[in-house]
Amino acid sequence: MRATSEITTAGGTALVVDSDIDLLNQIAGGLRSAGFTVAAHNTVNPAIEAARELTADVAVVGADIALEYLATIAKEADHLLPRNIPVVLTAKSAEQVTSHPELAMRSSDYLLLPIASEELLHRVNTAIHRNRLREERRNESAFLRDRVRRISDDIRQTNEPADMVELALQGIGEALGAEDVTLHTFDDARVSYGGARWQRGVGSAQPNDVSELLDELWVLGTELWRTSGSLAVIAGQLTEVPETLPKIHARMEGFDSSGLLLPIGEGATPFGVVWIVADRGARKWSGAEIALLQHLLGNLAHGMIQGQLIVGQQQVVDRLRELDAAKNGFVATVHHELRTPLSSILGYVELLQDGDGGELPAPAGKMLEIIERNGQRLSSLVENVLALSVLDAGTELGDASIGLVHLLETVTADLLPLAARKNVSIQVLPTDQALYVRGMWALLERAFVNVLSNAVKFSPDGGKVTVSLATENGAVQVTVEDAGMGIPADELPQLLTRFYRATNSVAAEIPGTGLGLSIAAEAVERHGGSLAIRSELGAGTTVDIKLPRS
């Protein structure tokens, strides 16, 4: 059913491929009438040439020739296309699409013939809109990740807490386009620094006097630290500020901007809070922004405590610097036919959360968060089922050149919200080598998502998952390590069996289907590689994935 909320675009470039000339002309004509620049072809090779030259915003492809088209695009995608093109299929029946798992995995949406012009434009515009949103968020996350890395590097260059705080507050303000960033510290023996403030256009400034609020700030900061949470104020709405904190409520009367409060500390308790003020309208603070800020504040907390200890405990400096290593976390995307209803649900949830449907009451916002979280869990399950279909069908994998570092960055970005909810950091150790393998991007992506999400899921709160890359005898080895609950030694041989779950994970009531590792192993083996698991009960698990290097 069509939703009443409309998604509009300012036109764009469309690639239309269909062996039915009449249908080709109908679709191309409808898109041109809507302001699109259209390249229409009834065979695959000219369509590929058009993709090279036009950088299309969307492709509308007839299901009859879609498999050939998608296979060709997959082989050349890394070289021809600057970004992924969303594909909308046209089909005579739903079975024509659902009977080919690869079509479902690689397409964004599908339309059944005959096609109404209004429905065509709605589906095309929706595909373009969602693709652009994903790209914008991926770019924003990459930019912020880079800034966090630079700020963390700058912090590590000094042992003076005052310099660290100044670098961090200025860096946060400039990276987020904030107006004001303030650190308020509590009475804590770990840090003697009294707080600091950065203002746009001013630089370092004297923090506001919050002495009468410190008791409530400590209560709030401690609760946020305990839950690995944050407190957001959107466009002056104080709904997230607990009513049990009347002094903070009174101080914020008349506040009409957006703010984010994050605790900063180490170990069991925080030693302060950071308050960020930005003019963002109704735009919410994203999970990626919050997770990266938490990562940066973790680095800052380590640095401040290290700086205070360095005079009397020089012997521990090297160890503290090792613990202060950079960690990155990272965005994901969902698209295939069997998930079309789910993708539509998540898409409209996204629009509602962004305010496209008007202002929502706070309870509705919480409900949308629950819908989104469970929708993502269901989406992951469907992705695994689709991956099994591709594996069982013996689908040709193609011969696309895949940058393994880029693939891992994409996977870790997608898992960033999950990791942030558990306060687990994912660190991909840097490499200066260009590492490529050949095969199907979607299947390898699913394999690494399953392995890394398992590592995050079974890590303790505040833990770390480390990913490293190496080369050996013409192969690339990816090693994923966690310090989680581990696996009983007598169960390791059964872990790659479909639907098998370790007894300790079942006893701990950790959700899962038992499909993830079996899919990962089969996907890697289909690419000529191998997957091996090493684990020690109570100490953690290591997964080694080897793939032929291209």
Side-chain angles (χ1 to χ4, degrees), residues 124-175:
V124 166
N125 285 334
T126 298
I128 294 174
H129 177 75
R130 296 202 67 201
N131 195 57
R132 288 176 179 172
L133 279 179
R134 284 193 296 268
E135 187 175 346
E136 287 172 5
R137 290 173 184 175
R138 189 177 296 117
N139 290 339
E140 289 174 359
S141 179
F143 169 76
L144 187 55
R145 242 185 356 259
D146 180 66
R147 291 304 301 268
V148 166
R149 186 183 300 112
R150 293 184 185 183
I151 297 167
S152 297
D153 288 342
D154 290 341
I155 289 173
R156 282 191 288 271
Q157 299 306 310
T158 177
N159 292 321
E160 290 294 332
D163 294 341
M164 296 178 192
V165 171
E166 182 178 350
L167 288 167
L169 299 190
Q170 178 180 342
I172 291 171
E174 292 176 348

Side-chain angles (χ1 to χ4, degrees), residues 21 55 80 115 119 124 135 181 193 246 249 312 328 342 375 429 461:
I21 300 299
T55 311
L80 301 184
I115 297 173
E119 185 68 13
V124 166
E135 187 175 346
V181 185
Y193 195 70
H249 260 279
N328 302 314
L342 182 58
L429 300 181
D461 182 59

Side-chain angles (χ1 to χ4, degrees), residues 263-286:
I264 177 173
E266 186 179 62
T269 59
F271 57 71
V273 292
V274 172
W275 172 239
I276 304 168
V277 178
D279 184 8
R280 299 161 64 94
R283 180 187 171 194
K284 293 188 175 182
W285 299 93
S286 72

Side-chain angles (χ1 to χ4, degrees), residues 73-94:
I73 285 290
K75 293 176 183 178
E76 303 293 340
D78 282 358
H79 306 292
L80 301 184
L81 306 177
R83 57 184 170 84
N84 292 330
I85 297 178
V87 177
V88 178
L89 299 174
T90 60
K92 298 172 184 176
S93 66

Side-chain angles (χ1 to χ4, degrees), residues 403-423:
L404 204 52
V405 172
H406 175 52
L407 186 149
L408 287 170
E409 287 176 347
T410 301
V411 169
T412 52
D414 290 346
L415 294 175
L416 196 60
L418 172 64
R421 286 196 293 271
K422 289 204 65 181
N423 193 26

Side-chain angles (χ1 to χ4, degrees), residues 441-489:
W441 172 284
L443 205 53
L444 282 179
E445 181 183 44
R446 176 50 34 189
F448 284 106
V449 165
N450 288 349
V451 172
L452 274 167
S453 62
N454 263 14
V456 171
K457 183 165 61 174
F458 292 106
S459 288
D461 182 59
K464 180 173 70 173
V465 175
T466 303
V467 183
S468 59
L469 299 96
T471 57
E472 179 182 355
N473 299 326
V476 181
Q477 177 166 312
V478 181
T479 301
V480 180
E481 299 177 79
D482 68 64
M485 64 196 310
I487 303 160

